[in-house]
Amino acid sequence: MEHLFFEADQPDESLWNANFRQARSDLKDLPGAEISRRIVALLQAWLYFGLIEGIIGKKIKVSYLTRPDTDGKEYLYSRNLHFCLQARVFEVRANPAGKLQASIDIQHVIRLANRWISRFTAWSHPSFRPKLDEGYPELMDRLEEVVPAMVRAAEAIEQMRLYALPDEPNLGTLTWIYPYHVADKRRSKLSSLGWCAFQIKLLEDTVNQSTIDWIVACEMKQDPRGHETCTAEACARNNIDESTYEQAHVCRDRQCQKVLPDLQKVMTILKENGIPVLCLEMVDRDVYIQALVAIRDVYLNASSVLVIDKTIEQCTTSSSTEDLYAHIYLSSWMQRMWTYEEAVLAQKVIFALKDGFHLYKVDTKPLMRRTVSVIWQSLGAQLYRLRADRHHLNIGHIYQAFRYRLTNAPQEEFLSVSGMLGLDTQRLLGFKGEERTKNFWLMLKWIPFNVPFLDCPKLTEPGFRWAPKTMMYPSTTAMDTDSKGQKSECTRDGLFGTYLTVAFDTPLNGSAGEHGSVFNTFVRGDDGSLTPPADHRVSLRLYCVESWPSPPLSLEFNAIMLPSETKTVLDAGAWVAGAAFFHTDSIEQHPQMQDPSMATVRKYRYVGRLLVERLQNHELSSSSETIMLKGHQRL
């Protein structure tokens, strides 16, 4: 391991812009490879040791968090990290009056680290990395070796904060993204362990980086049979032939053996526990649909739901909580639509194991110490949705749980959702296709404000192009689950709400191609509607994501909306998922709006989702060229 070569509380703007020769005078004449070595040493020292020292307020000996290997080199080793963080827990608990400020301070430090890690990932993008590799050979290769350790340290610090300060407000969930080559190598390793593209995306979008690294380190395998045709959007192994409602073949000759549970074993488990067995015959389709209306009562009145799944049955009663949680979360049972309803509405959920049973409880203790129980926290957060309080269950909770579930009866999706929310399922039966989905949103009426920013298929009817066509779509974006959070009103004319909006003087044409997918924009200020008044002059970089059409096709937009419930502009260096819109100059009166401040409205047509990054001011004002900007001398 290499050590810090010069003292710095925080790297300066030259490092942010990747102008490393300007970072210090003694670097100017060094070869690019030597500069790379020193810069990575600085960043590792600052964002690993410096990050931890900044949280606990004490210097840490390098040897305390490293170990020597057989080759004589030192490597980062986190075995003692718990003791560092536990000392901070004691300090926080000893000062109750300072808990709020302590929580805020910790989150600010983590957010700073998150912005820099996001910057490293941006450097690794194929559009920018070649230029960086040319000037500073081996820099990204070296940086990619240490970024995972930085991220895992930050995730452990956040877990320590949740453990020590559970009642203090959260400033928002952060997303940690590994550089492209690191993520690709890990995907290849998971693929070699039998994981399909859908399962890999499930992990990347829903659990933290520490959990995925742990799964890889444990070499947790999946049965690869039947996954040959899976995509990131769907797992082919779970497909069902809709004409027969039997499991579909994934092979071309349709001669493969069906994946079936051991029926005799299932019957034995049921009979041993006194559970009656009913034979459900195929009935008329209309009768079947009518039964869907009453299925909510079946689950509500069930004393327990017994889950029998071959993946879960690999665990025993002595398995660690982390291992059990991983097998439950990654089971086929967790991927089906209707299983969520049976779990969330039932009074108890019991899992059959290899040698017994496990009654799921949200307070099951982790194997690892609580200050560093990052894996337990990440997996537990996913399973906690199975036991959401049904009296306070809302559309946000269901959306979060549905994102990676599958069904071969897509027409039943919003029948299931309406049943869980206590809406008029019988009325929805009178509609089909997108008309049923549209009427669901109309029945729900008050929609979480950030629905337009969700990354999922949308309805095509004018006025409803913001509305999710399905919630069962792999997505990293989350719907607001706060029952007291800001809502927008769904009407037949469209969605009415108040949003932080940036309108452009000139329309832009976006596409998913290399050219036309990134725009640098400058916001001159606000129109006076923001409170309190402030200087909102910022530079935003817009990224059109994969859902945009490929060149030569493009989509025109002249405005973006940002998902800020507080109507505040994102911090410098931060990224958010925004949405592109097209609006005309017309402003209409809408007297039916309940909120008088919204009586005057502007119509926006939803175009698509995009990522928005706020540039650092010094990056925008740089006179010399950076890897992402040409510099104002060349404009």
Side-chain angles (χ1 to χ4, degrees):
M1 194 198 78
E2 300 174 18
H3 303 281
L4 180 62
F5 75 98
F6 65 85
E7 293 295 328
D9 293 329
Q10 179 179 335
D12 63 12
E13 62 188 55
S14 297
L15 290 184
W16 180 267
N17 293 332
N19 292 328
F20 303 126
R21 293 186 183 278
Q22 300 177 14
R24 190 175 171 92
S25 59
D26 56 5
L27 295 178
K28 184 176 180 181
D29 298 323
L30 292 177
E34 176 62 17
I35 294 177
S36 298
R37 185 186 70 82
R38 296 191 177 196
I39 289 296
V40 174
L42 164 67
L43 295 174
Q44 177 180 267
W46 179 53
L47 287 171
Y48 190 83
F49 286 95
L51 176 64
I52 299 171
E53 291 173 348
I55 295 297
I56 68 175
K58 298 177 181 178
K59 283 288 185 181
I60 302 173
K61 289 185 177 180
V62 172
S63 60
Y64 195 65
L65 292 175
T66 59
R67 62 171 177 82
D69 204 357
T70 55
D71 57 7
K73 294 183 180 180
E74 290 179 290
Y75 291 86
L76 294 175
Y77 190 50
S78 60
R79 185 173 185 175
N80 292 327
L81 181 58
H82 156 73
F83 300 103
C84 297
L85 299 181
Q86 186 62 53
R88 181 60 172 143
V89 172
F90 291 148
E91 291 179 0
V92 168
R93 290 178 173 174
N95 181 22
K99 284 186 175 182
L100 174 59
Q101 190 59 50
S103 178
I104 293 174
D105 291 344
I106 292 172
Q107 291 182 79
H108 281 164
V109 170
I110 296 176
R111 284 174 176 274
L112 176 61
N114 181 265
R115 286 198 290 273
W116 276 90
I117 299 296
S118 298
R119 189 67 170 182
F120 302 157
T121 301
W123 289 351
S124 73
H125 190 277
S127 298
F128 307 123
R129 178 167 180 160
K131 189 174 182 179
L132 196 61
D133 288 341
E134 180 181 357
Y136 304 99
E138 301 181 2
L139 184 133
M140 284 307 306
D141 291 336
R142 289 175 175 271
L143 194 55
E144 287 170 346
E145 291 179 353
V146 298
V147 163
M150 299 174 184
V151 172
R152 291 193 292 265
E155 289 180 341
I157 291 170
E158 173 60 10
Q159 169 58 24
M160 178 274 292
R161 185 189 70 83
L162 293 174
Y163 170 56
L165 303 162
D167 299 323
E168 301 304 327
N170 191 341
L171 300 182
T173 303
L174 297 176
T175 299
W176 300 89
I177 304 176
Y178 279 177
Y180 285 78
H181 285 185
V182 178
D184 287 341
K185 288 180 181 178
R186 191 171 64 184
R187 291 186 193 112
S188 296
K189 177 61 177 178
L190 287 168
S191 181
S192 69
L193 293 171
W195 295 73
C196 72
F198 179 84
Q199 294 169 324
I200 294 173
K201 185 167 173 56
L202 163 68
L203 289 177
E204 292 180 336
D205 289 355
T206 61
V207 299
N208 58 29
Q209 301 291 356
S210 298
T211 300
I212 307 177
D213 289 343
W214 171 74
I215 288 173
V216 171
C218 293
E219 296 191 339
M220 190 177 294
K221 298 181 179 180
Q222 293 281 354
D223 185 352
R225 292 175 297 175
H227 289 294
E228 292 82 3
T229 60
C230 294
T231 67
E233 287 72 36
C235 182
R237 187 170 178 173
N238 288 325
N239 287 346
I240 291 176
D241 187 337
E242 292 188 37
S243 63
T244 61
Y245 213 76
E246 295 181 353
Q247 189 172 16
H249 285 276
V250 295
C251 60
R252 292 182 178 180
D253 59 9
R254 300 176 63 83
Q255 298 298 315
C256 63
Q257 295 295 313
K258 293 184 178 181
V259 180
L260 296 171
D262 185 332
L263 183 59
Q264 188 59 45
K265 187 175 182 180
V266 172
M267 295 292 289
T268 300
I269 292 174
L270 295 175
K271 290 179 179 179
E272 287 180 351
N273 289 273
I275 300 174
V277 180
L278 302 177
C279 178
L280 300 179
E281 298 181 358
M282 293 299 295
V283 295
D284 182 84
R285 184 67 178 175
D286 292 337
V287 177
Y288 169 73
I289 290 294
Q290 292 296 324
L292 294 180
V293 179
I295 200 168
R296 181 174 186 269
D297 294 331
V298 173
Y299 296 141
L300 283 173
N301 294 320
S303 61
S304 301
V305 166
L306 176 63
V307 179
I308 305 174
D309 182 278
K310 70 173 186 177
T311 299
I312 302 173
E313 284 188 305
Q314 294 176 20
C315 296
T316 66
T317 53
S318 60
S319 296
S320 68
T321 303
E322 290 86 345
D323 193 40
L324 176 60
Y325 278 10
H327 282 81
I328 293 174
Y329 185 55
L330 300 170
S331 67
S332 296
W333 178 80
M334 279 289 293
Q335 293 181 12
R336 305 308 299 174
M337 179 184 75
W338 285 104
T339 58
Y340 177 69
E341 185 171 355
E342 69 185 28
V344 78
L345 295 181
Q347 297 179 36
K348 298 178 183 178
V349 178
I350 300 174
F351 296 98
L353 307 180
K354 182 182 293 185
D355 60 349
F357 300 92
H358 174 78
L359 172 62
Y360 176 73
K361 296 180 180 179
V362 297
D363 57 352
T364 304
K365 304 300 182 184
L367 172 67
M368 301 184 71
R369 298 175 185 268
R370 286 296 302 274
T371 52
V372 290
S373 54
V374 182
I375 299 164
W376 170 81
Q377 180 72 32
S378 182
L379 292 170
Q382 303 302 324
L383 298 188
Y384 180 75
R385 298 192 182 97
L386 297 176
R387 305 304 296 149
D389 186 344
R390 60 174 180 258
H391 301 293
H392 297 92
L393 186 69
N394 61 43
I395 188 65
H397 297 131
I398 298 174
Y399 174 82
Q400 292 293 89
F402 265 39
R403 289 178 300 164
Y404 281 89
R405 291 178 182 265
L406 303 168
T407 182
N408 294 96
Q411 71 278 6
E412 297 174 6
E413 175 183 358
F414 287 96
L415 298 178
S416 173
V417 177
S418 66
M420 285 186 278
L421 295 177
L423 300 178
D424 190 350
T425 306
Q426 185 70 45
R427 180 185 168 196
L428 283 181
L429 285 169
F431 303 99
K432 294 182 178 181
E434 287 199 3
E435 193 66 19
R436 174 179 289 173
T437 307
K438 182 186 78 172
N439 277 274
F440 167 81
W441 293 111
L442 286 169
M443 289 171 59
L444 191 60
K445 188 176 181 179
W446 293 105
I447 313 297
F449 85 101
N450 64 340
V451 167
F453 307 102
L454 300 179
D455 180 20
C456 62
K458 304 296 180 72
L459 296 178
T460 58
E461 182 176 331
F464 288 86
R465 284 181 285 226
W466 55 268
K469 181 180 180 180
T470 176
M471 296 190 292
M472 291 183 291
Y473 183 80
S475 172
T476 57
T477 54
M479 188 185 295
D480 187 23
T481 59
D482 186 354
S483 59
K484 298 181 181 179
Q486 180 184 325
K487 301 291 189 293
S488 296
E489 184 180 5
C490 177
T491 74
R492 294 193 176 276
D493 294 327
L495 187 69
F496 289 86
T498 303
Y499 292 90
L500 181 61
T501 306
V502 177
F504 301 132
D505 293 335
T506 303
L508 303 174
N509 289 281
S511 65
E514 182 176 347
H515 302 290
S517 62
V518 181
F519 300 93
N520 292 308
T521 65
F522 182 70
V523 182
R524 294 194 299 266
D526 70 273
D527 60 2
S529 62
L530 297 179
T531 304
D535 185 356
H536 296 285
R537 292 175 295 177
V538 298
S539 182
L540 302 177
R541 180 180 288 137
L542 315 179
Y543 300 82
C544 299
V545 293
E546 292 81 0
S547 58
W548 288 65
S550 299
L553 300 178
S554 65
L555 294 175
E556 185 180 38
F557 65 101
N558 59 7
I560 62 170
M561 292 184 184
L562 304 178
S564 174
E565 193 169 7
T566 58
K567 309 301 180 294
T568 54
V569 181
L570 61 161
D571 295 334
W575 300 60
V576 297
F581 292 82
F582 190 88
H583 75 86
T584 61
D585 291 331
S586 61
I587 298 178
E588 300 182 4
Q589 298 295 317
H590 198 280
Q592 295 181 355
M593 293 301 296
Q594 297 179 1
D595 187 346
S597 66
M598 295 171 58
T600 301
V601 300
R602 184 187 296 273
K603 284 188 175 182
Y604 289 84
R605 173 172 56 82
Y606 179 85
V607 176
R609 178 178 173 270
L610 41 72
L611 296 179
V612 181
E613 175 193 11
R614 178 178 172 180
L615 302 183
Q616 300 272 18
N617 289 336
H618 54 70
E619 180 178 10
L620 179 66
S621 61
S622 175
S623 61
S624 57
E625 183 176 3
T626 72
I627 64 169
M628 293 185 175
L629 287 174
K630 291 183 178 299
H632 66 70
Q633 289 182 348
R634 297 185 58 184
L635 294 179

